[in-house]
Amino acid sequence: MMIYMKSHVPCDVRSIPAWQFELMGMLVFKGIWKTHFDAVINAFDEMDEREQEKKSSTISIADRCEAQIRKITRQRDRLLDLYTDDKIDHDVFTSKYAAYTAAIEKQKEIISECAEEQKIDKDEAGAFLKKMQRMINVSGTQLDNETVEKFIDRVIVQSDHCFEWLVNVTGDAQTATPELFPMRGYGSDKTSTRIVNYADAAKNAIEVRDKYYAHAFAFTIPFEEAQKLRDKCGTHVRPGRWTDLLVDVYVRTTKV
């Protein structure tokens, strides 16, 4: 599980015991399937509505770009006619032709950037969640490694007691996270050197969260809940040393 903190200085945040992450993970998945299932589905539903609005705007931009491409293409064709008829010299033709071509490519780039991303709709999310529920066991004291590797994209540590869990319902974390969260020496050749230090990695994690994830629900872990898990492990938590944990859960709404 990869963890990025918001703070630029790692030592600002204490070392988080592994059992606390285990506890949070168990409650995250229990919340997804039970107490907060409707909230998770609504996160995808709200995303659908936003995408419809975005799509209308995107179509308008793409249409303008297509019109510009047709206009510039006509200008470039006329330039070619002038050159063929020996009405302009070679240097002028080469310069203007290159400028027209670059302008066309720019418009194509804008269209490509506006292309609709593959979103996970509400019905797909429901099917994925049912499949996930059959695969994951939350009856014990910890999540198995396969669950973490497949369904947890990142945990962002905002402070000693505030955490953001970025969850995917498709089980594709092993292939998606190197693209979403590139680190030096980790990921494709295109992205492997883009993020080279702690501060950049933290900043990237927040940007990726805002772009690819929707907030589903939040919950607090009080002392009593923590002690339940520790009881199963044959140990205990000191009440005077416990501070409630605040957990926000985000679900990835985009296919990668």
Side-chain angles (χ1 to χ4, degrees):
M1 185 190 305
M2 300 297 292
I3 302 167
Y4 288 121
M5 303 177 189
K6 185 176 181 180
S7 168
H8 288 187
V9 184
C11 60
D12 283 351
V13 179
R14 66 180 176 87
S15 176
I16 311 297
W19 72 266
Q20 291 189 15
F21 282 106
E22 299 293 353
L23 173 60
M24 284 187 279
M26 302 287 276
L27 294 178
V28 163
F29 284 106
K30 286 182 179 179
I32 288 173
W33 298 325
K34 296 179 180 179
T35 53
H36 300 287
F37 182 83
D38 290 341
V40 174
I41 294 298
N42 286 338
F44 288 96
D45 201 20
E46 292 172 5
M47 178 275 299
D48 285 342
E49 294 177 1
R50 291 195 300 270
E51 282 304 303
Q52 290 301 320
E53 297 175 359
K54 178 181 175 182
K55 186 175 182 180
S56 298
S57 174
T58 297
I59 291 174
S60 177
I61 294 173
D63 286 344
R64 289 198 297 270
C65 290
E66 291 286 1
Q68 279 294 103
I69 289 174
R70 290 192 293 271
K71 176 183 176 181
I72 299 170
T73 299
R74 288 194 297 271
Q75 293 173 331
R76 191 175 65 176
D77 290 343
R78 286 197 294 271
L79 177 69
L80 182 59
D81 291 338
L82 290 173
Y83 180 66
T84 302
D85 294 337
D86 293 327
K87 293 183 178 179
I88 56 174
D89 63 32
H90 178 75
D91 290 342
V92 173
F93 167 76
T94 301
S95 175
K96 289 190 174 182
Y97 192 91
Y100 285 141
T101 299
I104 291 172
E105 291 303 315
K106 179 62 177 178
Q107 296 301 314
K108 289 181 178 178
E109 287 179 11
I110 296 174
I111 292 174
S112 177
E113 291 172 358
C114 291
E116 185 178 4
E117 296 173 327
Q118 284 189 299
K119 295 292 183 178
I120 302 170
D121 62 33
K122 183 171 66 173
D123 293 335
E124 284 183 303
F128 282 130
L129 286 167
K130 289 179 181 179
K131 182 178 180 181
M132 180 198 291
Q133 189 173 18
R134 293 193 298 268
M135 295 174 62
I136 300 176
N137 178 15
V138 292
S139 62
T141 59
Q142 63 181 28
L143 297 171
D144 61 89
N145 289 334
E146 184 178 12
T147 295
V148 173
E149 291 174 357
K150 285 186 175 182
F151 295 101
I152 305 300
D153 288 346
R154 284 294 186 275
V155 177
I156 301 176
V157 181
Q158 294 283 17
S159 70
D160 286 0
H161 307 100
C162 298
F163 306 84
E164 296 177 351
W165 283 65
L166 309 188
V167 180
N168 78 81
V169 299
T170 62
D172 69 346
Q174 289 167 303
T175 56
T177 51
E179 295 299 323
L180 292 174
F181 304 92
M183 288 291 289
R184 182 171 57 188
Y186 182 57
S188 65
D189 292 339
K190 181 179 179 181
T191 60
S192 60
T193 59
R194 185 160 66 88
I195 295 179
V196 296
N197 58 50
Y198 176 88
D200 285 344
K203 181 174 182 290
N204 179 71
I206 300 299
E207 291 174 350
V208 170
R209 179 203 66 189
D210 293 341
K211 181 176 181 180
Y212 293 101
Y213 297 78
H215 186 266
F217 62 92
F219 63 92
T220 301
I221 304 178
F223 166 78
E224 294 77 13
E225 193 69 46
Q227 187 57 56
K228 285 180 183 178
L229 178 68
R230 301 307 278 165
D231 284 342
K232 292 181 181 179
C233 300
T235 183
H236 65 277
V237 180
R238 295 182 182 178
R241 301 187 63 180
W242 175 259
T243 301
D244 291 354
L245 304 182
L246 304 178
V247 182
D248 282 280
V249 179
Y250 292 77
V251 289
R252 176 149 48 86
T253 56
T254 303
K255 298 176 183 176
V256 178

